[in-house]
Amino acid sequence: KAGVTQTPRYLIKTRGQQVTLSCSPISGHRSVSWYQQTPGQGLQFLFEYFSETQRNKGNFPGRFSGRQFSNSRSEMNVSTLELGDSALYLCASSLDRAYNTEAFFGQGTRLTVV
Amino acid sequence: DQQVKQNSPSLSVQEGRISILNCDYTNSMFDYFLWYKKYPAEGPTFLISISSIKDKNEDGRFTVFLNKSAKHLSLHIVPSQPGDSAVYFCAAAARDNAGNMLTFGGGTRLMVKP
């Protein structure tokens, strides 16, 4: 079955702009989580959506937001982009809790802010 | 405050030998642990997991050991192969978390030399 699909793969934006990233989870998976990976920082949790509701949120400023649609597809939005937002943004889908099931990751969207 | 730490940023081993990757955590609420492998320009791929009710889990060449009293886990790869060269992340989840939120370590870059 198809894996997690993230679009676009690469994006270049200017400081101050906003950006929207998209994630289509594995069919049947209702949980979608977003992570930011920067050099030397590992993966940092942004937020998780389950059945169109934000269920968890990491320690990121309000410029980072997301939503989930009824078909479980999710979007992440970053407003007023800063240079430090340049990172690989990864989306992961799970059946439900990571406690008993592993999260499957997409290939990520590489965002560069100039 | 890093709750999951991988203190070795890199590790180099000879093909056929054992690779041991280490991970320490501080949050005593973590009770499920996962290892992911990541190649450049790809999303992390799930390798193996372990619940806190176990101290060992094995899957082919990969074995994860958990020492709860030391808050330490390790991933053993035997025998190591050049295709294992990648960045390895350990991740943890907490039972008290209602949803899917993984806390990742900073990663260890494994290089297996032919």
Side-chain angles (χ1 to χ4, degrees), chain A residues 23-78:
Chain A
C23 172
S24 293
I26 292 171
S27 178
H29 285 193
R30 294 162 64 192
S31 167
V32 175
S33 301
W34 289 88
Y35 292 84
Q36 181 197 65
Q37 185 186 16
T38 52
Q41 288 287 328
L43 285 82
Q44 294 184 285
F45 176 79
L46 281 154
F47 29 66
E48 183 220 0
Y49 287 86
F50 181 82
S51 293
E52 302 178 66
T53 301
Q54 187 181 83
R55 193 159 65 169
N56 279 292
K57 190 176 189 307
N59 295 324
F60 278 81
R63 300 185 297 106
F64 292 81
S65 63
R67 59 178 175 167
Q68 187 180 34
F69 303 94
S70 59
N71 62 358
S72 293
R73 189 177 72 86
S74 176
E75 287 182 348
M76 187 191 107
N77 185 276
V78 188

Side-chain angles (χ1 to χ4, degrees), chain A residues 76-98:
Chain A
M76 187 191 107
N77 185 276
V78 188
S79 62
T80 320
L81 284 165
E82 300 176 359
L83 297 179
D85 296 333
S86 295
L88 179 67
Y89 290 87
L90 292 159
C91 162
S93 80
S94 304
L95 275 171
D96 191 354
R97 288 204 62 207

Side-chain angles (χ1 to χ4, degrees), chain B residues 74-96:
Chain B
S74 61
L75 174 69
H76 292 210
I77 307 174
V78 184
S80 301
Q81 300 172 353
D84 296 330
S85 297
V87 178
Y88 289 77
F89 292 97
C90 68
R95 190 199 309 262
D96 67 344

Side-chain angles (χ1 to χ4, degrees), chain A residues 9 31 33 35 37 43 45 48 55-56 88 90 94 96-99 102-103 105-107, chain B residues 31-32 34 36 38 41-44 46 89 94-95 97-102 104-106:
Chain A
R9 289 291 310 279
S31 167
S33 301
Y35 292 84
Q37 185 186 16
L43 285 82
F45 176 79
E48 183 220 0
R55 193 159 65 169
N56 279 292
L88 179 67
L90 292 159
S94 304
D96 191 354
R97 288 204 62 207
Y99 180 66
E102 63 268 23
F105 284 83
Q107 290 186 292
Chain B
D31 59 354
Y32 190 64
L34 309 90
Y36 283 84
K38 187 179 184 300
E42 293 185 13
F46 171 77
F89 292 97
R95 190 199 309 262
N97 188 294
N100 283 308
M101 176 179 164
L102 294 176
F104 283 85

Side-chain angles (χ1 to χ4, degrees), chain B residues 28-88:
Chain B
S28 58
M29 296 304 296
F30 287 149
D31 59 354
Y32 190 64
F33 305 88
L34 309 90
W35 283 93
Y36 283 84
K37 177 169 74 172
K38 187 179 184 300
Y39 294 117
E42 293 185 13
T45 303
F46 171 77
L47 269 177
I48 191 168
S49 61
I50 187 167
S51 165
S52 61
I53 62 174
K54 297 184 176 181
D55 54 19
K56 177 183 173 182
N57 189 25
E58 201 169 346
D59 184 1
R61 297 186 298 113
F62 302 91
T63 303
V64 56
F65 296 92
L66 175 62
N67 183 333
K68 284 178 289 183
S69 60
K71 293 190 176 67
H72 176 84
L73 64 153
S74 61
L75 174 69
H76 292 210
I77 307 174
V78 184
S80 301
Q81 300 172 353
D84 296 330
S85 297
V87 178
Y88 289 77

